[in-house]
Amino acid sequence: MGTSGTAASADRAGNSDALENLARVGLIAYGVVHLLLAWLSLQLAWGGGGSADQSGAMSTLAAQPFGKPLLWVLALGLLALAVWQLAEVLRHRAGLQASGDARKDALATIAKAIAKTVIYLVLAYTAIRFATGGGQSSSGQEEQTVAGVLGWPGGRYLVGAAALALLGVGAYLVHKGVTKRFLKEIETAEASATQRRLIERLGQVGYPAKGVALAVVGGLLGWAAVTFDSDKAGGLDDAMQTILSAPFGQALLTLVALGIAAFGVFCLFRARFPERT
């Protein structure tokens, strides 16, 4: 099968009803994860315990009645989202043979699709671990991972590059929210005027809040690279702790948590009105 045949197959796969319905489940699952993250962050802001990251969210869900079956549904939906993004990679692969802006657009689309695929696969793996009873808090794992990388030849530069990547993603998400570019990811033709306004406001709040959280994670990672100290690194939970320790931290963390909740609700609307491409 040639390139055109592969692209056509990817297009059919990406637009199949079965995959779209599974992707809807995945978008709902993705939204639920962010709503749980927001709840854990609010608890952290107001004196509660728990880990305000993905593992904390999965652990919270696993502890609920029917939590483990729900985790399996969540994992299935996230895997469907990963397959959907892989179909996007194949669909736009032919654009790499083009030149100028067309090639740049194809490269950007493929890079974003690959990044999303990795995120969805990691979340699906985490959900499966907790569904099978093998999940555990990620507290301290980030520091151990960074310590291992810092021990490699040129490890400091690898950690620094990862930090810059996270800072870049965070800045991109803030920009995406401010410029309303997220509206390209949702088809609102069938939505009411009230729903369209709500979707727009949720994206304007949710994307910048998520971007800020990721940027703080990138900042912690960058500081670990500069100081050559893995203890300075951290994941999302450490980022939330850092925000909390800042001046007016409780208010700031509350705003970030509400923004992440807005992103979660936006994902639910994306499941209701999925993008058609």
Side-chain angles (χ1 to χ4, degrees), residues 55 58-59 62 125-138 141:
S55 66
M58 300 295 184
S59 177
Y125 172 72
T126 304
I128 291 172
R129 284 199 302 122
F130 278 94
T132 56
Q136 59 183 358
S137 173
S138 63
Q141 292 182 5

Side-chain angles (χ1 to χ4, degrees), residues 22-35:
L22 281 175
R24 286 176 186 263
V25 175
L27 286 168
I28 292 171
Y30 199 50
V32 168
V33 169
H34 283 83
L35 289 172

Side-chain angles (χ1 to χ4, degrees), residues 10-11 81-96 100-118 120 172 176 181 184-185 275 277:
D11 188 69
L81 283 178
V83 173
W84 204 359
Q85 291 305 314
L86 285 175
E88 285 293 296
V89 173
L90 294 175
R91 183 183 302 167
H92 292 275
R93 190 178 65 174
L96 297 177
D101 291 339
R103 188 170 187 273
K104 290 180 181 178
D105 289 342
L107 281 170
T109 300
I110 289 173
K112 287 189 287 186
I114 291 174
K116 289 179 180 180
T117 298
V118 172
Y120 296 145
Y172 169 74
K176 190 174 183 178
R181 292 188 65 181
K184 296 179 180 180
E185 298 179 350
E275 175 190 15
T277 57

Side-chain angles (χ1 to χ4, degrees), residues 8-22:
S9 298
D11 188 69
R12 287 193 297 272
N15 289 303
S16 69
D17 290 339
L19 184 56
E20 181 181 301
N21 289 332
L22 281 175

Side-chain angles (χ1 to χ4, degrees), residues 136-150:
Q136 59 183 358
S137 173
S138 63
S139 177
Q141 292 182 5
E142 293 88 358
E143 290 86 348
Q144 294 174 15
T145 301
V146 172
V149 175
L150 286 175

Side-chain angles (χ1 to χ4, degrees), residues 195-263:
Q195 287 175 322
R196 285 195 291 270
R197 285 194 297 271
L198 178 58
I199 289 168
E200 185 174 318
R201 297 295 179 268
L202 289 169
Q204 286 178 301
V205 174
Y207 276 93
K210 186 173 179 181
V212 168
L214 287 179
V216 174
V217 175
L220 292 173
L221 201 57
W223 187 238
V226 170
T227 60
F228 206 71
D229 184 357
S230 61
D231 290 339
K232 299 294 191 300
L236 188 57
D237 183 58
D238 296 279
M240 297 303 184
Q241 296 278 2
T242 300
I243 294 172
L244 182 60
S245 65
F248 308 104
Q250 188 178 57
L252 290 174
L253 184 54
T254 298
L255 289 175
V256 170
L258 292 176
I260 291 174
F263 181 85

